[in-house]
Amino acid sequence: MNIGQPPAPAGAYSFDNTATSSTTFAGDGSDFASFLLGMGSTPGGESGNFTKDVFAAEASPYYAPFVQDNYHVTPKLTLNLGLRWDIFGGRTERHNRLEYFDPTAAYNVGGVSLVGGERFAGDGARSPFTTNLKDFAPRVSFSWQPKTSLVVRGGGGIYYGPSTDMVANPGLNDDGFGSSTTWNATQYNADGNTVLLNSLSNPFPNGVVQPTGSTLGLATNIGSGLNTVLHSPRTITTYNFNFGIEQQLGRNTVFNIGYVGSRGLFLPFGTVGLSLNQLPLQTIAQYGDRLCVTGDGNCEMVPNPLASILPATNPFAGAATVPLWFTLEPFPQFNDGGFNDGVSVNNLPIADSEYSSLQTKIERRMSNGFSMLATFTWGKLMTDDNQPPLSFVGYHSGSPQDWRNLELEHSVSAQDVKLQFNVQASYDLPIGKGRALNLAGVGNQLLGGWTLNGIAYLSDGVPIASPVGTGSPYFNQRVDLSCDPSTHAPHTANQWFDYSCFSQPASPLLPGTAPSFLSSVRTDGAHQLDTSIYKAFALGSDRSVRIEVASYNVTNSVQFGYPNVFWNPQAQQDPTVMAGFGRILSAANTPRQFQFGARFSF
């Protein structure tokens, strides 16, 4: 069969199925790629698109007995006391297709002594997690009314969970029970212009990779990476506490002021797994170029202790020597050739947070057709988790410099909003029957009885992440910080901060001095006004039509988006490289919008 006549010109490709005839395709590279995509992918670009997946049937037992009582000490003082016992039983899977990583397990494979491996759920222990029976959560609060118009309240308590042991994607820890086989339909011939068609009826000439299940025990996935969990992770623990005063001002107005705080412990770090094979920064600084990461003249190759047991798919299989870094990793048997890679543990409970805030509220109940609620919060959130689970709030940076030393990551949170002000108001316009501007008949039907609403929101922006990507091959190194980037900065879309405060660290072996996030450099804050106006038209017999017109961002204000913080190490030598650094190219909010609606009630 021929595709395209006459024969293909230079740059065209032909197919050779080696059994019948050649197939020639004439066209440019994009046409050729499109043709191949119809069969899968371009040669060499295939992906693992035939998988044997785990369709899990999970269960997550949870029990929480509690006691609680209100104790009236005096007519003006009430105590609320409670105790809760949270028991997270740990999720199970109907067919026991879950596992966990045991870093202390000792075993022997082919005469080689190894430490660390995956243990699998079974009939005797169906959950990969232990059950923590020590999660007792006391709570106490009080309410005191020293006089009729004044109330003082306060309280505190310990709260557990949601536990990462509970319902979750089985892909977090189902190693051995799924597999992926690469579609291998085509490959280039030696001339580079013709493509050999493998049998389309069998694009897996080496067979389909079969899951091993738990049959290999601790030796599962030797020579490749693991995706796993720990057996006894700590439960997420939160200490919440508050103290507040409520004062009535006149008949219709109430004012509140209070302190609200929180302390989070054993928070899951990040949304992706952390590698147990990542070398500590102390080790990296000790050996430097000898680690053989960069392959320069100081590279130190050492005897390969795993040469006899690594499978052929591992790049170090059968090699007499390996880079020094390979032997320094705690679990090199699970490394597939990548530095600082191999044992990816999900939801490591190692992060913490602290939050303190002053919160005020003034509320005016409906009076003379007017009501209002205004709030103001002045707070601060600190953490060492630069990739929190609720990552849709704020802008987040990359991996930590060293997850074993989170003091390097402790800074203001990516989700910190220092100042927030919100006011909501509703006003029945004084036009219509019985109002200040008294109308009747058609005038009242058209102009009377309208209600105007408004919501204004003002806030600080969220902190900006310090630049990363310095080019260090050893770890996720941040830049050095020498001054406050917000000082003398024009704060325009073309230059949001002073980029001269950042510099390349003197050594690729040491952590950068800049914190994860910069409290003094924040995104553009919110400044938005939303309004609406509505009226209900009576139609008699309990029927009415409500007409409403709403406008979001009625002032059409622009809130600048996130500035470019990509760091290029060449910037110190060539200032023109900085052209895009610190610039803002997008908006964080939407333009003015109108919404029209009608509702018929009967």
Side-chain angles (χ1 to χ4, degrees):
M1 178 180 69
N2 291 314
I3 302 177
Q5 299 289 342
Y13 297 84
S14 67
F15 297 95
D16 183 5
N17 62 16
T18 70
T20 54
S21 62
S22 66
T23 300
T24 303
F25 173 81
D28 61 20
S30 62
D31 294 332
F32 176 65
S34 299
F35 182 83
L36 287 175
L37 286 174
M39 300 189 299
S41 302
T42 55
E46 297 90 350
S47 60
N49 54 3
F50 183 85
T51 60
K52 292 200 170 186
D53 302 312
V54 175
F55 297 95
E58 297 187 36
S60 296
Y62 168 67
Y63 312 94
F66 67 92
V67 293
Q68 182 175 328
D69 189 28
N70 289 327
Y71 178 55
H72 298 281
V73 181
T74 71
K76 294 186 177 182
L77 176 62
T78 300
L79 296 180
N80 181 279
L81 306 175
L83 178 64
R84 186 182 184 91
W85 184 17
D86 287 303
I87 305 173
F88 302 97
R91 57 188 169 92
T92 61
E93 202 277 328
R94 181 179 301 167
H95 305 289
N96 295 331
R97 293 175 295 182
L98 297 176
E99 46 75 20
Y100 69 90
F101 187 73
D102 183 351
T104 63
Y107 56 105
N108 187 287
V109 174
V112 178
S113 297
L114 302 172
V115 175
E118 290 176 323
R119 295 191 184 273
F120 294 85
D123 292 337
R126 299 199 57 236
S127 175
F129 302 101
T130 57
T131 299
N132 188 348
L133 298 176
K134 299 180 181 180
D135 290 340
F136 291 96
R139 292 97 186 266
V140 59
S141 63
F142 75 92
S143 177
W144 176 45
Q145 188 176 18
K147 58 182 182 178
T148 305
S149 62
L150 178 65
V151 178
V152 181
R153 299 184 180 94
I158 301 176
Y159 300 83
Y160 293 102
S163 172
T164 54
D165 308 357
M166 298 173 67
V167 174
N169 185 339
L172 296 179
N173 61 318
D174 64 356
D175 278 358
F177 296 100
S179 69
S180 178
T181 308
T182 299
W183 169 280
N184 187 23
T186 60
Q187 64 187 49
Y188 285 115
N189 284 319
D191 59 15
N193 288 329
T194 59
V195 175
L196 175 66
L197 290 181
N198 297 324
S199 173
L200 294 181
S201 63
N202 180 23
F204 310 108
N206 296 322
V208 173
V209 177
Q210 299 296 326
T212 60
S214 60
T215 58
L216 299 180
L218 293 168
T220 300
N221 281 351
I222 282 183
S224 60
L226 304 182
N227 198 44
T228 185
V229 297
L230 295 183
H231 188 40
S232 301
R234 297 292 299 267
T235 308
I236 297 174
T237 305
T238 305
Y239 298 89
N240 288 335
F241 34 88
N242 63 81
F243 177 83
I245 298 174
E246 181 178 295
Q247 175 69 56
Q248 183 173 344
L249 304 174
R251 178 187 299 180
N252 301 308
T253 304
V254 177
F255 174 74
N256 289 268
I257 184 169
Y259 167 79
V260 177
S262 179
R263 179 83 167 94
L265 299 173
F266 316 118
L267 306 179
F269 191 94
T271 56
V272 296
L274 296 176
S275 175
L276 297 186
N277 272 341
Q278 180 176 337
L279 297 182
L281 293 188
Q282 296 91 328
T283 301
I284 291 175
Q286 176 183 354
Y287 292 97
D289 294 340
R290 293 170 54 199
L291 292 171
C292 205
V293 174
T294 59
D296 59 15
N298 295 324
C299 173
E300 183 174 335
M301 301 293 288
V302 296
N304 184 1
L306 306 180
S308 62
I309 64 171
L310 292 176
T313 54
N314 188 281
F316 299 131
T321 60
V322 291
L324 176 61
W325 61 259
F326 182 78
T327 60
L328 293 176
E329 291 185 341
F331 312 106
Q333 70 270 30
F334 299 116
N335 189 296
D336 56 4
F339 175 63
N340 277 347
D341 199 7
V343 184
S344 180
V345 177
N346 297 288
N347 298 323
L348 272 178
I350 57 175
D352 62 32
S353 66
E354 313 101 44
Y355 176 71
S356 293
S357 67
L358 173 68
Q359 300 184 9
T360 63
K361 179 177 70 173
I362 185 167
E363 180 178 7
R364 178 182 172 85
R365 301 184 180 94
M366 180 65 73
S367 175
N368 298 322
F370 178 75
S371 65
M372 182 194 69
L373 174 64
T375 62
F376 173 73
T377 299
W378 179 21
K380 188 173 186 179
L381 175 61
M382 304 286 292
T383 186
D384 51 21
D385 188 350
N386 59 7
Q387 289 282 348
L390 299 179
S391 56
F392 57 86
V393 180
Y395 303 84
H396 305 280
S397 62
S399 303
Q401 297 192 96
D402 184 2
W403 64 262
R404 292 182 177 85
N405 181 13
L406 291 184
E407 291 184 3
L408 296 172
E409 310 305 314
H410 194 267
S411 70
V412 65
S413 170
Q415 300 172 331
D416 177 68
V417 180
K418 186 177 181 180
L419 302 173
Q420 298 182 75
F421 174 73
N422 190 303
V423 59
Q424 307 172 43
S426 177
Y427 182 48
D428 295 335
L429 297 179
I431 303 173
K433 187 177 180 179
R435 300 188 180 184
L437 181 56
N438 194 8
L439 297 177
V442 176
N444 181 58
Q445 283 292 323
L446 294 177
L447 303 176
W450 289 91
T451 298
L452 179 65
N453 300 296
I455 301 175
Y457 179 64
L458 304 173
S459 76
D460 269 354
V462 293
I464 292 174
S466 294
V468 295
T470 60
S472 170
Y474 301 100
F475 65 101
N476 189 57
Q477 185 187 50
R478 286 195 295 272
V479 299
D480 282 345
L481 182 67
S482 59
C483 59
D484 185 352
S486 67
T487 303
H488 307 304
H491 295 296
T492 63
N494 284 327
Q495 186 181 349
W496 192 249
F497 52 82
D498 181 3
Y499 51 70
S500 66
C501 291
F502 303 109
S503 61
Q504 185 79 4
S507 169
L509 305 174
L510 300 176
T513 61
S516 292
F517 294 90
L518 304 168
S519 179
S520 63
V521 184
R522 296 175 177 262
T523 61
D524 190 18
H527 35 85
Q528 182 157 319
L529 174 64
D530 303 330
T531 61
S532 69
I533 187 169
Y534 71 87
K535 176 185 176 177
F537 294 85
L539 301 178
S541 301
D542 297 326
R543 292 177 298 175
S544 65
V545 172
R546 172 170 159 156
I547 305 296
E548 180 172 358
V549 180
S551 176
Y552 303 96
N553 188 16
V554 66
T555 59
N556 204 31
S557 301
V558 177
Q559 180 183 353
F560 291 141
Y562 199 73
N564 174 21
V565 295
F566 175 76
W567 176 258
N568 191 320
Q570 298 176 353
Q572 288 179 299
Q573 289 75 36
D574 183 4
T576 61
V577 175
M578 281 294 192
F581 189 51
R583 295 185 63 188
I584 298 175
L585 302 177
S586 63
N589 66 338
T590 57
R592 181 192 298 121
Q593 299 180 28
F594 284 97
Q595 177 177 290
F596 302 88
R599 184 180 69 188
F600 175 55
S601 301
F602 59 92

